[in-house]
Amino acid sequence: MTTALPQPLRNTRVLSLALNLPGPAALMRCARLGADCTKLEPPPPLGYPSADPMGIYSPVAYATLHSGVRVLHAHLKTPEGQAALHEELARTDVLITSFRPSALTKLGLGWEALQAQYPRLSLVRIVGAAAERAEEPGHDLTYLADAGLVTGTEMPPTLYADMGGALMASEAVLQALLERGHTGGGVCIEVALADAAAWLAQPRDWGLTTPEGDVGGNHAGYRIYPCADGRVAVAALEPHFAASLCAAAGLPASGDPQVLRARPTHEAVAGFLRTQTRAQLDGLAKAQDIPLHTLA
């Protein structure tokens, strides 16, 4: 069995004008899929390593995102910058942007103009929100809030909408190339970060992760519990895993969801885990094949 990853984007040229996180993360995914990736960004301001905000506030992230990517510099509002841009576009299969639609039009990069000049070129247009809301300002946090994924006043542990949007954008690159294979022409695909947040929110919308849902805390085998010297994330959802957990806790070995949802089961499992150290629980997981992960 080969360990090399497939390279479905080999011999494909992807050009990105997108700054910050979603666009560069999408380009990084394309590079890992074998694409020849180029990013065109403004020249760095005096004293700064990059004009991309990510290169200023997180050089480590910027370096990771641009590994294997050719970075060029040009002012797109100048004739010289436009010449550099169109030199790249003439040999590009997919263009990724993250400007608002009105800004793209001002730069001569509206879809109609691109399609007329480069009929085989596809555009993956990353926006904050879709369609008529594409001109609204926003960031990852506001899109998560709009999708109902912000609770209390604590910040989310990662940038879900940005990274989810990056995956959707790299998927859109593949979609565009597959469609061109059928029609011979390029397509424009809009990827909205708000839609990425809404996609991630669907398990909650279906009730799976609400307090009444089995993966939201209602099932004793799928919860985070305190243990003797930290915490333990238990994911014994399937009946055979749940039965092993019940047996370890001194209960009848049952995988019946109704039993696992009952308060006495919750109390017994919580009481057992509270007496166990992380080392003991790690040993239990290995010996009894119970999916759990201990935390400080």
Side-chain angles (χ1 to χ4, degrees):
M1 185 177 70
T2 180
T3 57
L5 292 175
Q7 299 283 285
L9 292 183
R10 61 188 179 280
N11 303 320
T12 298
R13 292 180 178 271
V14 179
L15 173 66
S16 177
L17 307 179
L19 306 179
N20 281 310
L21 182 56
L27 193 64
M28 176 178 70
R29 297 289 299 179
C30 291
R32 292 180 178 179
L33 292 173
D36 180 352
C37 293
T38 299
K39 182 186 176 194
L40 188 60
E41 60 182 51
L46 187 64
Y48 289 93
S50 170
D52 188 327
M54 184 67 72
I56 297 171
Y57 59 74
S58 183
V60 172
Y62 181 91
T64 300
L65 290 166
H66 295 82
S67 176
V69 173
R70 182 173 64 121
V71 178
L72 304 177
H73 299 100
H75 281 300
L76 297 184
K77 294 181 180 179
T78 67
E80 296 80 8
Q82 282 287 310
L85 169 62
H86 285 277
E87 182 180 349
E88 292 297 324
L89 287 175
R91 53 182 183 175
T92 292
D93 295 295
V94 182
L95 171 66
I96 299 174
T97 67
S98 61
F99 297 109
R100 298 184 197 187
S102 59
L104 283 177
T105 300
K106 290 177 183 178
L107 291 171
L109 298 174
W111 173 235
E112 293 76 13
L114 284 174
Q115 193 173 37
Q117 192 167 358
Y118 307 105
R120 286 178 56 81
L121 174 71
S122 289
L123 172 63
V124 173
R125 188 170 62 197
I126 301 173
V127 296
E132 67 277 359
R133 294 184 58 201
E135 295 290 333
E136 294 179 10
H139 266 298
D140 182 277
L141 186 61
T142 56
Y143 305 131
L144 293 181
D146 190 43
L149 294 177
V150 175
T151 58
T153 57
E154 290 191 8
M155 295 294 288
T158 191
L159 300 172
Y160 291 106
D162 283 355
M163 296 304 284
L167 289 175
M168 292 175 68
S170 59
E171 178 185 75
V173 170
L174 293 167
Q175 290 174 316
L177 293 169
L178 286 169
E179 183 64 15
R180 190 178 70 178
H182 293 300
T183 67
V187 295
C188 176
I189 301 177
E190 185 174 82
V191 174
L193 302 182
D195 288 347
W199 169 260
L200 295 175
Q202 285 192 91
R204 186 279 323 275
D205 297 339
W206 296 329
L208 296 176
T209 59
T210 61
E212 298 77 26
D214 277 356
V215 293
N218 195 32
H219 188 288
Y222 203 94
R223 293 195 62 170
I224 301 168
Y225 292 93
C227 64
D229 58 353
R231 297 169 294 154
V232 56
V234 181
L237 188 64
E238 290 81 357
H240 61 289
F241 290 139
S244 295
L245 176 66
C246 286
L251 296 168
S254 174
D256 184 340
Q258 295 300 329
V259 172
L260 272 297
R261 293 173 189 139
R263 180 177 292 276
T265 305
H266 279 262
E267 292 173 349
V269 170
F272 165 70
L273 294 173
R274 199 176 296 115
T275 68
Q276 302 295 296
T277 66
R278 284 178 290 163
Q280 287 174 314
L281 290 171
D282 290 337
L284 176 68
K286 186 174 182 179
Q288 301 298 326
D289 191 33
I290 299 173
L292 60 82
H293 186 85
T294 55
L295 302 156

